[in-house]
Amino acid sequence: MKKLTLRNIMLTLALGFFANGAIAASNTLLDQTHAAKGVKCASCHGKAETREPVTMMKCVKCHNTEKLAKKTKDVKPTNPHDNRHFGTETDCANCHKVHEKSENYCGSCHLRFDFVVP
């Protein structure tokens, strides 16, 4: 068992403080981000009475996957937008949840891929 030293206790408290700050800062959902930029619900969901689910094809009308892959090329340990499984065509919804908290899809298998997902 590790010895509890003042140094270890201080490191634990500091990491906990910064992690809580990062979590609190990422509470904005993507629907709120889109709305703040003037994107209406119908732009993605259609104007029908029953809203259509949003497919990746809707996402890529505004978000070019190849440009996004270039933008994130230096993310370590690997580029989440250009990967060995799907290339630049990973389904956006695997990670980016519009009406709920987004998640790191890669992290379910690759524990060291601790990407922060907006």
Side-chain angles (χ1 to χ4, degrees):
M1 186 159 114
K2 284 191 176 184
K3 187 173 148 183
L4 285 178
T5 63
L6 181 58
R7 179 177 165 267
N8 289 346
I9 292 169
M10 295 303 290
L11 283 171
T12 303
L13 290 172
L15 288 171
F17 174 78
F18 288 111
N20 284 338
I23 291 168
S26 66
N27 283 340
T28 303
L29 299 180
L30 288 178
D31 58 355
Q32 297 164 329
T33 302
H34 284 101
K37 292 182 178 184
V39 178
K40 305 287 183 203
C41 299
S43 299
C44 299
H45 289 288
K47 295 181 182 185
E49 186 69 31
T50 305
R51 301 284 188 186
E52 301 170 11
V54 178
T55 64
M56 183 177 166
M57 295 312 295
K58 289 278 188 178
C59 298
V60 299
K61 285 185 178 183
C62 298
H63 304 280
N64 180 292
T65 58
E66 290 182 14
K67 286 182 183 177
L68 184 57
K70 285 179 186 173
K71 184 177 177 181
T72 57
K73 70 180 171 51
D74 294 326
V75 170
K76 298 295 180 208
T78 189
N79 186 344
H81 297 109
D82 189 5
N83 62 72
R84 66 187 309 183
H85 302 292
F86 308 105
T88 60
E89 300 305 313
T90 303
D91 188 340
C92 306
N94 285 349
C95 295
H96 303 282
K97 313 297 181 193
V98 178
H99 299 294
E100 57 192 66
K101 188 177 182 300
S102 292
E103 63 186 24
N104 177 7
Y105 179 76
C106 300
S108 61
C109 295
H110 305 279
L111 301 179
R112 67 187 180 106
F113 294 0
D114 59 347
F115 302 125
V116 175
V117 185

